[in-house]
Amino acid sequence: MMQLQRDEEAVSAAIATVLLFGGVISIISLMMVTMIPVIEELEGSVERHDMSAQMMQFNQQTTTLAQQGMPGDVVTQEFVPVDGALSWDMMRSGMWYTSTWEEDHSFRIRDVLDFDDMLKIRHAESTTSTACFSDLRLGPDRPYHYTAPAWSDNVIVTTKPGLSFPLGPIQVDVLRNAELDHTAELFVDDVLEWTLDDADWSIQSSQELVVYWMRGGQGTTEARPSDANANGLGRSWALPLPAGNVHLNAVSEDLMMVTGSGQFGDFTEVALQSDLLNVGTNWNKTLVLDVAQVVHITTTSDAQLMLSIGGTDGATAWKSRTGSMHGTSFIPPAQSGHLLLSNPNIDVATVTWRGAGISIDPMNSYSVSWPPVGLDGASYLKSDIPVSVTWTSSVAPIGAYELGAIDTGMESGIQMHANNSNTFNLELRSNGEQSILNISTSDDNATVLDSSETLTVPVNGEAIYVNTTKGHGVFAMAEHGSVGLHDAHHDGARRCVSIGVTASGWVDLTMPWASMGGRSIVDVQAAWTSGAFPSSLHIELYGLIVEEPYTPIGSAWVMQISRFVYEFESSVTGMEVAMSGGAVLTNHPEFNPTVIVPPSDRGGPGPRFAATIPALHPTSDSSSGGGILSMEVTLTKRMSLASDIAYEVRRGWAEPYGDAIAQSSTDGLEASEDWTIYPGRLDLLSDYVGWVPDPGFGTVESVWHTAGEPIQFSLQISSLDAHVSEVIA
């Protein structure tokens, strides 16, 4: 019988071999655990630098297109991803600029890019009276909307002049009862006019228009300038006019040369300034036009222009010298007629002009013959408290004119009042989603007015008071007789809210649009198209300066700009390289916000600042994903947002890169001795002009510093439509 013997040495060797192999595997596993993140990080670094190079090249092309291109110009580039994917982010992007028009005043905004209807403002230097909001309508498939007033029976339109014009025609869609009635094509300096019936009419256009609603083929209106400054004054007008007689009356504080041109020919005339105290410059002219055409009027000084079509009958609200409907200083037109002066206050108003004056009882109106007899020029009109001024061709107004809101002093608000002995119809339209009204002449104390509706209230020589008890405010127009003319804003413009506080901290405001907070991008895009939510925003702030409560204090431009994003993975997920608003950004590595290319601007020489913002938005049929994609960017329009003397300019940027951009733009401060010695002391910084960080904590804003000197501020925006398609190999 054979006996088995255990070879202890062999067993020990086998066990040692197994243990050694296990140790090697453990070491290799440990090495893999520590090396895989390094490998992934290296791969992420390759992806970041590869796409950064592609986006920097493309960003340079789009920035050049935005600054120098003409509408219709195109740039293209192919994007070749490594392992990541290309997409658009329209919810976490955007920027804003703010400027102030009064010395030693500041204007700041916060929480303006979160898609709800709330934001914060800060203006600590005086009482803040009113804020007015206007939808900039930036992006593809976001047309301008114009709703016809119920009293109008015809309309005449043309394109609004700008920095650049489309080479091809502008498509204008005319809707009747919310259904497409017809489509027209409009070239630069073309005129379109058509007749309206009793249906609900509206206009949609991809470009901003000059729209005159008319009745009876004649009427009078204050024509809005194409280049209006913060006070609403301007130096150029594009007037779409029908064939027939046209009368023009311009007034200004200074000597002015007036130039006109059109198919009728051209003219140049000089209006001399009066030598009398409190008397401005007046200019009148009558044109006889053989055909409908656009007449261009330019002046050499800031002016207001009254337009009368088909004669001199009609009525128009006349704005103050600060652009408000209620104000303390006016230069009324010197065209023969009457002024209806209305006092919306609970105190007596004392109104004076050259050689005369009156007192107007609280909540009352008074009519005076105008202009003063024997006066060569345009008399100033001053009041000790805010009043409204309406020019009329007769004692009892005929035509159509706006009523200013009591609470805001502007075109829209929650309280409207009229008290005179005239008979007229008051037409109301909501300046938001819905208004619930209390009308003093109505038995129904809860009149609901939706955004797509108008309400006509007959007034027969009685006082009428309209108060919005819930929801958004209203626009109001008074109309009477068989004539009427109104230079219309688009539906998303001049929605004003009252503030009426003096505060050193942040003040909460509710915008006159329905909140889109928490909604999907599909819902937001639909709201942008319909105008139910603004696609970029212009905010105008008014406050008390001396005795004028509606002085323009500052302006803000809030741009909702899409981000073109390349998403990839490294040692962690969620890494990206993004391009937005002329900047190239990344959060690689480890979610560290980094500015690869800062947004472009131009400063100096001297206290100057200019910027052109490339607002890039994808078309609705754009592709996305991880394949090779070709992007074609077309410049659709370029607009001038501001060109004036400002006293403070700020720039803010939405997170997650707001703080990084604010910090990167201030790199030049390193060379400043004043900043080195006195960090954070802007009042002691005298050896540096440029961006400085806001002194606050955790801010995403920076301030353009000029050591207290006024800034020649110029801001433009170029709307760029991006179409992305997959490249088929």
Side-chain angles (χ1 to χ4, degrees):
M1 183 174 178
M2 187 176 184
Q3 289 185 342
L4 296 177
Q5 294 183 354
R6 179 185 180 99
D7 190 341
E8 297 294 338
E9 293 182 359
V11 171
S12 298
I15 292 173
T17 302
V18 171
L19 292 175
L20 178 61
F21 181 73
V24 171
I25 294 298
S26 298
I27 293 171
I28 294 175
S29 299
L30 182 62
M31 292 176 62
M32 292 296 291
V33 168
T34 56
M35 294 211 38
I36 284 177
V38 176
I39 296 171
E40 290 177 339
E41 188 61 41
L42 291 174
E43 180 184 358
S45 181
V46 170
E47 295 210 49
R48 168 195 164 169
H49 287 89
D50 178 77
M51 188 51 64
S52 295
Q54 297 183 57
M55 285 201 176
M56 283 191 291
Q57 178 185 0
F58 188 59
N59 182 69
Q60 183 178 10
Q61 294 184 68
T62 56
T63 301
T64 302
L65 175 66
Q67 294 176 347
Q68 303 175 13
M70 294 294 292
D73 288 353
V74 176
V75 296
T76 60
Q77 179 169 320
E78 285 190 359
F79 289 91
V80 184
V82 181
D83 284 330
L86 292 159
S87 62
W88 290 94
D89 183 354
M90 290 177 278
M91 303 294 285
R92 298 185 307 143
S93 60
M95 63 181 299
W96 65 89
Y97 279 89
T98 62
S99 66
T100 56
W101 313 118
E102 291 291 331
E103 192 171 3
D104 297 326
H105 283 251
S106 179
F107 176 33
R108 298 182 61 188
I109 57 176
R110 179 184 288 178
D111 299 340
V112 290
L113 289 167
D114 51 6
F115 296 99
D116 62 16
D117 59 347
M118 299 294 297
L119 77 156
K120 298 178 184 292
I121 67 162
R122 190 169 185 173
H123 164 240
E125 290 74 22
S126 70
T127 299
T128 307
S129 307
T130 299
C132 290
F133 302 87
S134 296
D135 189 348
L136 291 176
R137 309 303 296 153
L138 292 180
D141 305 319
R142 300 168 196 175
Y144 292 88
H145 301 269
Y146 300 85
T147 300
W151 54 264
S152 62
D153 58 20
N154 62 308
V155 63
I156 185 167
V157 305
T158 189
T159 57
K160 182 180 179 180
L163 295 176
S164 55
F165 297 94
L167 299 179
I170 297 170
Q171 179 174 312
V172 178
D173 294 332
V174 181
L175 286 75
R176 183 180 185 274
N177 291 330
E179 299 291 336
L180 182 64
D181 182 80
H182 66 275
T183 298
E185 291 185 342
L186 189 63
F187 286 88
V188 174
D189 280 354
D190 275 355
V191 168
L192 295 176
E193 52 182 332
W194 57 88
T195 302
L196 310 177
D197 58 20
D198 291 335
D200 295 329
W201 292 87
S202 61
I203 300 172
Q204 293 183 5
S205 171
S206 59
Q207 301 284 333
E208 191 169 2
L209 305 175
V210 180
V211 178
Y212 290 167
W213 303 112
M214 302 176 61
R215 180 165 63 183
Q218 59 180 317
T220 298
T221 189
E222 180 180 350
R224 291 185 290 110
S226 306
D227 60 343
N229 60 19
N231 290 325
L233 309 178
R235 301 191 178 197
S236 66
W237 291 261
L239 310 175
L241 302 176
N245 294 335
V246 175
H247 188 76
L248 304 171
N249 180 214
V251 293
S252 175
E253 294 182 354
D254 305 308
L255 167 77
M256 61 180 173
M257 180 180 293
V258 184
T259 301
S261 62
Q263 295 183 34
F264 71 92
D266 56 68
F267 63 83
T268 299
E269 298 178 0
V270 176
L272 299 177
Q273 190 174 10
S274 174
D275 294 331
L276 299 176
L277 185 65
N278 292 329
V279 178
T281 304
N282 173 57
W283 172 83
N284 286 280
K285 191 171 185 66
T286 299
L287 301 175
V288 180
L289 306 179
D290 296 331
V291 296
Q293 60 191 273
V294 175
V295 174
H296 293 275
I297 302 294
T298 60
T299 62
T300 55
S301 61
D302 292 341
Q304 291 172 271
L305 177 67
M306 189 169 76
L307 166 67
S308 298
I309 293 177
T312 57
D313 287 342
T316 182
W318 195 255
K319 292 187 176 181
S320 74
R321 297 301 288 176
T322 61
S324 60
M325 301 290 288
H326 293 159
T328 61
S329 180
F330 300 81
I331 303 182
Q335 188 167 308
S336 180
H338 294 77
L339 294 185
L340 180 64
L341 308 176
S342 297
N343 176 16
N345 306 283
I346 59 175
D347 299 318
V348 175
T350 301
V351 183
T352 59
W353 58 90
R354 179 78 186 186
I358 59 169
S359 294
I360 307 175
D361 292 335
M363 309 294 281
N364 219 319
S365 300
Y366 195 90
S367 180
V368 298
S369 178
W370 198 262
V373 177
L375 185 65
D376 183 18
S379 175
Y380 286 56
L381 187 148
K382 296 183 180 296
S383 175
D384 59 340
I385 57 177
V387 298
S388 68
V389 173
T390 302
W391 181 92
T392 69
S393 57
S394 58
V395 176
I398 61 171
Y401 60 93
E402 287 183 291
L403 290 184
I406 297 174
D407 58 310
T408 65
M410 302 294 166
E411 297 91 331
S412 62
I414 65 173
Q415 297 174 338
M416 298 287 178
H417 176 264
N419 183 12
N420 55 59
S421 58
N422 303 312
T423 299
F424 58 91
N425 290 325
L426 183 65
E427 184 174 332
L428 303 171
R429 178 171 63 88
S430 175
N431 73 348
E433 183 185 31
Q434 187 183 79
S435 304
I436 300 178
L437 308 177
N438 185 335
I439 303 174
S440 61
T441 60
S442 173
D443 294 332
D444 185 359
N445 292 328
T447 303
V448 179
L449 186 61
D450 292 325
S451 60
S452 59
E453 300 175 344
T454 60
L455 174 67
T456 300
V457 181
V459 181
N460 186 17
E462 57 189 323
I464 181 170
Y465 181 78
V466 180
N467 183 38
T468 306
T469 60
K470 187 177 181 181
H472 303 124
V474 294
F475 294 90
M477 288 198 70
E479 55 88 11
H480 177 71
S482 59
V483 305
L485 177 64
H486 177 54
D487 186 352
H489 292 280
H490 69 88
D491 291 353
R494 299 295 293 175
R495 300 185 178 189
C496 302
V497 298
S498 175
I499 303 173
V501 300
T502 304
S504 59
W506 293 96
V507 176
D508 291 329
L509 283 187
T510 301
M511 295 193 303
W513 282 276
S515 173
M516 297 300 294
R519 304 288 290 274
S520 69
I521 184 59
V522 175
D523 293 337
V524 173
Q525 287 177 315
W528 282 336
T529 300
S530 66
F533 195 78
S535 51
S536 300
L537 199 62
H538 179 204
I539 306 173
E540 297 167 276
L541 189 74
Y542 299 86
L544 176 64
I545 300 295
V546 191
E547 296 180 354
E548 175 53 71
Y550 303 117
T551 301
I553 296 294
S555 297
W557 298 268
V558 182
M559 276 70 70
Q560 187 72 46
I561 302 173
S562 301
R563 285 195 304 148
F564 187 53
V565 180
Y566 176 66
E567 298 175 302
F568 61 94
E569 294 183 3
S570 62
S571 57
V572 294
T573 60
M575 298 292 98
E576 66 178 24
V577 178
M579 186 177 73
S580 175
V584 180
L585 315 156
T586 187
N587 62 354
H588 178 271
E590 304 300 335
F591 297 101
N592 180 32
T594 303
V595 179
I596 300 174
V597 176
S600 61
D601 52 51
R602 299 181 300 280
R608 299 174 181 268
F609 177 83
T612 300
I613 304 165
L616 194 67
H617 295 281
T619 58
S620 57
D621 57 347
S622 287
S623 302
S624 61
I628 300 176
L629 300 178
S630 175
M631 185 186 293
E632 180 180 274
V633 176
T634 305
L635 175 62
T636 57
K637 60 185 174 184
R638 185 188 302 119
M639 298 186 298
S640 175
L641 302 179
S643 182
D644 212 335
I645 299 295
Y647 292 91
E648 181 186 78
V649 173
R650 290 173 175 265
R651 182 179 68 190
W653 208 278
E655 292 289 12
Y657 298 104
D659 184 65
I661 291 177
Q663 293 299 321
S664 69
S665 61
T666 62
D667 289 344
L669 272 174
E670 298 174 354
S672 167
E673 293 183 3
D674 290 343
W675 190 261
T676 302
I677 299 172
Y678 307 107
R681 292 293 302 273
L682 302 187
D683 56 325
L684 299 178
L685 181 60
S686 60
D687 60 350
Y688 171 82
V689 173
W691 291 112
V692 296
D694 184 89
F697 293 100
T699 180
V700 294
E701 286 185 318
S702 49
V703 183
W704 185 258
H705 177 75
T706 57
E709 294 187 63
I711 304 164
Q712 182 60 55
F713 177 53
S714 177
L715 183 64
Q716 301 174 13
I717 189 164
S718 294
S719 186
L720 306 173
D721 292 355
H723 176 70
V724 184
S725 57
E726 185 178 1
V727 177
I728 306 300

